[in-house]
Amino acid sequence: MSVNASQVGLMWCILIGSPAGSEAAVDELVQSVRSRRFRMGNAAARFVAACLLCAAGAEDGGGWSQPADPSLQEEGVCTIDVLDASELTHQQFIDRYAFSRPVVLRGLTDNTNFQLLCSKSSLLEKFGSLKVRLSTANTHSYRKVDVLFQQYVDELLRPQARDALGSETLYFFGDNNFTEWQNLFDRYRPPPYVLPDTTGAYSFGIAGPGTGVPFHWHGPGYSEVIYGRKRWFLYPPGKEPHFHPNRTTLSWLRETYPYLPEEEAPLECTIRPGEVLFFPDRWWHATLNLDTSVFISTFLG
C-alpha cells in the first residue's frame, strides 16, 4: 500500500491525538507552505502542511471554538463519582451504579479517530450540503426545523442569548438521518458497559456555548463529549426540580440555582473529552454547554 505525504501527516495526527483537517485543507495550505522561503519539494510541503493543521486543530477544539463567555468558565463542583475505567469492572458498574446513581467514567473507550472525523472542517466537507433537523431547546421540544448543516454552523451555531426562551433556541441533537450519518456513527466506539436486555441508540449533536436542554427525564444512557465541555445537573426520580419548561438551562443557572437550599441542590459535574457520564433510568437532568460542544449520547432501551 502506498501513501502520500499528506496522508502520512494525517496519520501522525491520529497517533498524537490531534484533530486534523481533510486532505482538501492540506491542499490549500501546501501552496502557502511552498510559497515561503523554504526549499522543499511538494511531498515535504504536504507533510508540513498536514502537521500544521494538526497543531491548529489541537489548539482550537477541532475548529469549533468561539470567543469565550467569561460567565461560562465556571465548571462548578463535581458531586458525582468520577472513576477511571480500570477501577470498575462491568459487574461492579451494574451493582453500584446501573440502577441507582450516575457516574462519570474516564478512559472507558478510545474515540480519538471519531474525534478527528468530528472536526469542523471534516464534518462540513462531508455533511455541509445535507439537511439536518433542529429542535427547540425546551423540555418538550415542540418545534422542528430543517436546515442545511452548513447554514446551521454558519448562522445558528452561536452563543445563547441570556434572555432567549427555550422555544426560540434551535438545537441540533438527536434527529439524525442515519442513512446519511451512519458511516460516521460506525466509527464511534460506544461504552462497553451495557445494561441487561438493552441495545444502544445514538443521538449526535453540536451546540453553541450557553445552550443546553432544560430538565427532563427518559430511559438510561451515556453521554460523551467529543469537543468542548458540558455541565450536567441531575436529580433522582421522585425529586422533581423547580424549573419552567420554556426557560433555558442558562436562565435556570442564573436565576434559580444560586438560591437553592442545600437539600434541593442537584448532583452535578462538568464532563470533558474522554469522559463519559452514565445516567440511570428516569433521572431528571439538564445540560449546559460551556463551549461550542460536539457530543454523542447512547440511549439504552
Side-chain angles (χ1 to χ4, degrees):
M1 179 184 70
S2 62
V3 295
N4 61 39
S6 64
Q7 289 171 324
V8 172
L10 296 175
M11 289 176 187
W12 176 250
C13 288
I14 293 175
L15 287 173
I16 65 174
S18 299
S22 63
E23 285 200 48
V26 176
D27 288 333
E28 294 180 10
L29 189 56
V30 67
Q31 298 303 321
S32 176
V33 172
R34 295 195 69 192
S35 68
R36 306 294 179 184
R37 295 181 180 179
F38 300 111
R39 304 180 67 178
M40 63 177 68
N42 186 63
R46 293 186 68 81
F47 178 82
V48 171
C51 291
L52 288 174
L53 283 172
C54 289
E59 293 177 357
D60 71 357
W64 294 108
S65 297
Q66 297 188 31
D69 181 342
S71 67
L72 293 175
Q73 295 313 298
E74 176 58 54
E75 294 188 355
V77 297
C78 184
T79 56
I80 299 173
D81 289 351
V82 179
L83 299 174
D84 188 272
S86 63
E87 302 173 344
L88 192 73
T89 66
H90 189 184
Q91 188 58 51
Q92 289 171 332
F93 166 76
I94 295 293
D95 294 341
R96 299 179 190 176
Y97 299 103
F99 305 103
S100 59
R101 53 185 170 142
V103 62
V104 175
L105 298 172
R106 292 174 173 162
L108 192 57
T109 56
D110 180 2
N111 275 303
T112 302
N113 290 347
F114 184 75
Q115 185 187 54
L116 298 177
L117 296 173
C118 291
S119 69
K120 185 176 181 179
S121 60
S122 294
L123 288 184
L124 285 177
E125 180 178 15
K126 187 163 187 177
F127 303 107
S129 61
L130 302 179
K131 284 189 175 181
V132 293
R133 176 157 292 180
L134 312 180
S135 302
T136 50
N138 46 359
T139 293
H140 304 295
S141 295
Y142 301 102
R143 186 164 60 100
K144 306 284 186 180
V145 176
D146 292 341
V147 300
L148 294 179
F149 181 57
Q150 181 80 57
Q151 181 185 357
Y152 173 67
V153 172
D154 292 344
E155 302 175 15
L156 301 173
L157 187 64
R158 56 178 182 261
Q160 173 75 61
R162 297 190 179 192
D163 57 351
L165 296 175
S167 58
E168 300 169 342
T169 304
L170 291 171
Y171 198 73
F172 174 43
F173 176 59
D175 287 300
N176 307 122
N177 185 319
F178 280 84
T179 301
E180 297 171 343
W181 291 74
Q182 186 63 53
N183 187 54
L184 176 67
F185 298 152
D186 285 344
R187 304 293 294 275
Y188 177 66
R189 299 180 63 184
Y193 294 171
V194 297
L195 303 185
D197 302 317
T198 66
T199 56
Y202 298 147
S203 287
F204 178 77
I206 304 170
T211 63
V213 177
F215 283 104
H216 62 288
W217 61 265
H218 44 66
Y222 292 95
S223 178
E224 180 169 358
V225 172
I226 308 303
Y227 290 110
R229 297 170 297 153
K230 183 183 287 285
R231 189 172 175 183
W232 280 73
F233 307 93
L234 302 102
Y235 287 94
K239 191 175 181 180
E240 183 173 350
H242 298 289
F243 72 101
H244 189 288
N246 199 31
R247 299 289 286 171
T248 64
T249 304
L250 184 61
S251 65
W252 176 87
L253 180 67
R254 293 195 167 119
E255 299 166 8
T256 302
Y257 175 83
Y259 308 104
L260 291 172
E262 184 176 351
E263 63 273 15
E264 294 184 19
L267 292 178
E268 63 175 283
C269 200
T270 295
I271 62 172
R272 294 168 169 268
E275 298 177 333
V276 177
L277 182 141
F278 169 78
F279 49 88
D281 189 24
R282 297 176 179 269
W283 273 64
W284 290 93
H285 54 278
T287 60
L288 179 69
N289 297 297
L290 302 184
D291 311 300
T292 299
S293 299
V294 181
F295 46 93
I296 186 167
S297 291
T298 304
F299 295 115
L300 303 174

